[in-house]
Amino acid sequence: GAVVSQHPSRVICKSGTSVKIECRSLDFQATTMFWYRQFPKKSLMLMATSNEGSKATYEQGVEKDKFLINHASLTLSTLTVTSAHPEDSSFYICSALREGKQFFGPGTRLTVL
Amino acid sequence: AQSVTQLDSHVSVSEGTPVLLRCNYSSSYSPSLFWYVQHPNKGLQLLLKYTSAATLVKGINGFEAEFKKSETSFHLTKPSAHMSDAAEYFCVVSFNTNAGKSTFGDGTTLTVKP
């Protein structure tokens, strides 16, 4: 139980375009989800906390207008990288909170050309 | 504030020898502590967790960790390394007062030599 999926697993896009990444809790409802970014050979950096039915809470230094988060249902949160640039290339991982524990998705590899 | 420090960025062991990955934390509250493993280009997999029950925690794949409050440590061990253990390992601290918000260590890369 407590499975979290992400779609797509890999995406390549051109500079200036927008990319949407989905995070789904498959067998439980999650009012809170988290979005992380992982740089090569680095730890995970928390970007934002996604709350169902309300605005996301962004960490300091994360541009809310660039990384749009929508948590429209209890099983789905989306992260949209707007006007992507090569420096946005990274591994993005989401997690869903269940009974105080985080369950992580498999991650999405974004490459911006 | 909460923080977590993984003392070694790289650890190299020979197959069949013990593994020790070190983690220290700082906190103002009683923490929950986790170890996750990440294989190349994969997501995170939970190895084990401590949530104020038994201080010696057994996880998957033969890993275990001991919570030592006096030393603020939560080191990960395995008696005998296997080639498939080569991966990145993250120590994570979380506090219920932060509604599950977690802080990750910088990770330790484990290399297993044949």
Side-chain angles (χ1 to χ4, degrees):
Chain A
V3 179
V4 176
S5 70
Q6 282 185 241
H7 177 79
S9 57
R10 290 177 178 272
V11 58
I12 301 172
C13 69
K14 293 182 179 179
S15 186
T17 61
S18 295
V19 174
K20 179 184 286 188
I21 302 169
E22 295 183 346
C23 177
R24 293 182 186 272
S25 55
L26 297 183
D27 53 356
F28 67 101
Q29 294 182 328
T31 56
T32 302
M33 292 183 174
F34 300 93
W35 284 97
Y36 293 85
R37 180 174 178 177
Q38 185 179 35
F39 295 91
K41 300 188 185 299
K42 294 289 186 182
S43 185
L44 277 71
M45 180 192 76
L46 179 65
M47 299 174 66
T49 304
S50 171
N51 302 297
E52 188 269 336
S54 64
K55 290 183 178 180
T57 304
Y58 290 81
E59 295 300 302
Q60 190 174 8
V62 178
E63 299 175 60
K64 61 179 68 175
D65 294 330
K66 180 169 185 61
F67 298 99
L68 301 179
I69 291 172
N70 187 333
H71 195 154
S73 78
L74 288 171
T75 59
L76 173 64
S77 175
T78 61
L79 168 69
T80 301
V81 183
T82 63
S83 187
H85 288 91
E87 57 265 31
D88 299 324
S89 297
S90 193
F91 195 55
Y92 293 87
I93 298 178
C94 74
S95 70
L97 194 63
R98 181 188 187 190
E99 298 175 355
K101 307 294 185 293
Q102 287 191 48
F103 296 90
F104 289 86
T108 297
R109 170 75 60 192
L110 170 63
T111 303
V112 184
L113 302 176
Chain B
Q2 60 192 45
S3 69
V4 58
T5 302
Q6 291 182 241
L7 300 171
D8 307 291
S9 58
H10 291 84
V11 170
S12 180
V13 301
S14 296
E15 189 175 21
T17 64
V19 175
L20 170 64
L21 305 182
R22 298 183 292 167
C23 174
N24 285 94
Y25 69 93
S26 65
S27 73
S28 302
Y29 304 96
S30 295
S32 294
L33 292 158
F34 307 80
W35 275 99
Y36 287 89
V37 62
Q38 184 182 33
H39 289 90
N41 295 315
K42 300 288 186 181
L44 294 163
Q45 180 183 19
L46 179 65
L47 281 176
L48 49 80
K49 61 182 184 290
Y50 165 78
T51 55
S52 77
T55 56
L56 181 62
V57 182
K58 293 187 184 297
I60 62 171
N61 301 337
F63 285 95
E64 57 182 45
E66 185 172 7
F67 174 69
K68 292 186 177 180
K69 187 175 181 179
S70 60
E71 299 177 8
T72 60
S73 69
F74 190 58
H75 301 335
L76 181 71
T77 61
K78 183 174 180 177
S80 176
H82 192 271
M83 295 298 289
S84 61
D85 295 327
E88 189 80 15
Y89 291 79
F90 293 100
C91 181
V92 182
V93 62
S94 180
F95 298 91
N96 290 334
T97 52
N98 284 337
K101 193 170 170 179
S102 299
T103 299
F104 280 73
D106 288 338
T108 297
T109 303
L110 175 65
T111 301
V112 182
K113 298 175 290 185

